[in-house]
Amino acid sequence: KAGVTQTPRYLIKTRGQQVTLSCSPISGHRSVSWYQQTPGQGLQFLFEYFSETQRNKGNFPGRFSGRQFSNSRSEMNVSTLELGDSALYLCASSLAGASSYNEQFFGPGTRLTVL
Amino acid sequence: KQEVTQIPAALSVPEGENLVLNCSFTDSAIYNLQWFRQDPGKGLTSLLLIQSSQREQTSGRLNASLDKSSGRSTLYIAASQPGDSATYLCAVLVFSSGSARQLTFGSGTQLTVLP
């Protein structure tokens, strides 16, 4: 079974630009969550999507947004990039059913560098 | 607000030693606890998942315990090997509003196993 995939793996942008990151969950997984990892703040929760609906959102500005498609694939968008947005962005998927263990499986991440 | 702490922040041991990594969390209302491994610049690999009703889980040389009432978990690594060198992260899955869940991570323990 294929794992969680994220594209692109590396991205370099300049301040003020916008970026879209993509995540394909494990087949059959309906929940997709996004996390930001930086050396200073560690891993921080961005948002969770389930059945095309944003179910939960972390404490990030409105420049960070996302969506989920009917095939459970998810995209994350960051507009008006700032230097502080440079980070490793990780996507996680889980079954998220009532009887599931809700184990989270992570992708390899997208390394975003903002110049 | 849930907070997760990991001690020590860094650990260096000679090959063959048994070692214990510690994780504590402030709110016992967790759904489960997961231990992850992260190699430099890479995504997270799930090592062990402990449901809130369980006390421990084992996988090969790894054993994780959970004491929900005291807000503590330990990851025991037996007969450490240089290939175990990585950052180990503890995360608790908590409920937010409704059925939404999110992982709250500790800052990790950076383990180095010396040959």
Side-chain angles (χ1 to χ4, degrees):
Chain A
K1 198 182 225 183
V4 178
T5 59
Q6 292 187 245
T7 57
R9 293 293 312 280
Y10 302 92
L11 211 46
I12 300 176
K13 292 286 187 179
T14 56
R15 279 183 301 173
Q17 288 188 308
Q18 75 165 26
V19 66
T20 300
L21 313 182
S22 180
C23 172
S24 292
I26 292 171
S27 177
H29 285 194
R30 297 169 63 193
S31 170
V32 174
S33 299
W34 289 88
Y35 293 83
Q36 181 196 64
Q37 186 176 31
T38 60
Q41 299 297 317
L43 273 151
Q44 293 186 290
F45 172 75
L46 280 157
F47 26 65
E48 182 208 8
Y49 286 87
F50 181 81
S51 293
E52 302 179 64
T53 301
Q54 186 181 87
R55 193 158 71 167
N56 196 10
K57 190 177 193 310
N59 190 26
F60 278 81
R63 300 185 296 107
F64 291 81
S65 63
R67 59 178 176 168
Q68 186 180 35
F69 302 95
S70 58
N71 62 357
S72 293
R73 189 177 70 85
S74 177
E75 287 182 348
M76 186 193 115
N77 185 76
V78 187
S79 63
T80 319
L81 284 166
E82 301 178 358
L83 295 178
D85 297 333
S86 294
L88 181 66
Y89 290 88
L90 293 162
C91 163
S93 78
S94 72
L95 280 170
S99 61
S100 78
Y101 280 172
N102 280 274
E103 185 171 5
Q104 307 284 313
F105 296 89
F106 280 78
T110 294
R111 171 73 63 185
L112 172 64
T113 302
V114 182
L115 302 176
Chain B
K1 179 191 169 188
Q2 178 75 262
E3 291 184 1
V4 180
T5 303
Q6 290 188 248
I7 296 172
L11 183 62
S12 184
V13 300
E15 183 178 2
E17 262 200 20
N18 303 324
L19 58 100
V20 174
L21 307 181
N22 296 291
C23 171
S24 62
F25 47 95
T26 54
D27 187 346
S28 62
I30 64 171
Y31 190 83
N32 63 39
L33 184 145
Q34 228 172 319
W35 282 93
F36 294 92
R37 167 190 173 135
Q38 186 175 33
D39 294 287
K42 302 291 179 65
L44 276 60
T45 300
S46 179
L47 297 174
L48 288 165
L49 172 79
I50 311 177
Q51 293 298 315
S52 61
S53 58
Q54 297 176 322
R55 297 284 291 184
E56 67 176 335
Q57 281 288 334
T58 298
S59 176
R61 295 183 294 109
L62 305 179
N63 175 276
S65 68
L66 174 63
D67 184 342
K68 206 173 75 160
S69 61
S70 67
R72 292 180 185 178
S73 177
T74 61
L75 179 66
Y76 175 83
I77 303 177
S80 58
Q81 304 170 357
D84 295 331
S85 298
T87 296
Y88 290 79
L89 293 151
C90 161
V92 294
L93 191 68
V94 298
F95 291 101
S96 55
S97 59
S99 57
R101 304 178 178 100
Q102 69 183 70
L103 282 172
T104 300
F105 283 88
S107 53
T109 294
Q110 187 173 355
L111 173 65
T112 303
V113 181
L114 304 169

